[in-house]
Amino acid sequence: MLIKHWLVLKTYSLIITILYSLALATVCLIKVDKLVEEVHIQNADKIFHFSAYFVLAILWYVTLFFQFKINKNKSIIYAICFSVVFGIIIEVLQGAITTSRQSDINDVFANTLGALLATLVIYIKNRILIKKI
């Protein structure tokens, strides 16, 4: 079953990645005060940012590698760079164009850490696969 999902991701990665990126931007730019008030987990916002950018970096890696045929190392570098820059742009936009959200440097750190962990996971996965061959 996992292989079937992986094949779907490889086949439709560009569409999935673009939709995920748009959804993430939307969620980060809309007013969510009521939802945030109902979540009583300490640092829930930072956990969301970390997780969201972990997924974003992996999706961009898969898209760059399988759809655009960029080699693995460059795909990793481009995916992390895109994810970090995307996160910074979203934070700037939160402070500049929204009235209900504000920029937070800690969100940028959480985004970056999520993307870095994704990069590390991808790198380790690639190294393990190379050693098996």
Side-chain angles (χ1 to χ4, degrees), residues 23-30 48-49 52-53 90-91 94 98 101:
L24 182 58
T26 302
V27 167
C28 290
L29 295 173
I30 62 171
F48 167 78
H49 281 271
Y53 283 81
I90 293 297
E91 287 303 314
Q94 281 181 339
T98 67
R101 307 292 293 263

Side-chain angles (χ1 to χ4, degrees), residues 54-97:
F54 177 88
V55 172
L56 182 69
I58 289 175
L59 287 174
W60 275 109
Y61 167 77
V62 169
T63 298
L64 293 167
F65 182 68
F66 290 109
Q67 297 295 320
F68 293 100
K69 309 294 187 217
I70 298 173
N71 76 48
K72 288 181 181 182
N73 290 333
K74 283 186 180 179
S75 292
I76 290 172
I77 292 167
Y78 293 162
I80 190 172
C81 290
F82 176 82
S83 298
V84 170
V85 170
F86 184 80
I88 292 169
I89 290 170
I90 293 297
E91 287 303 314
V92 170
L93 290 174
Q94 281 181 339
I97 67 169

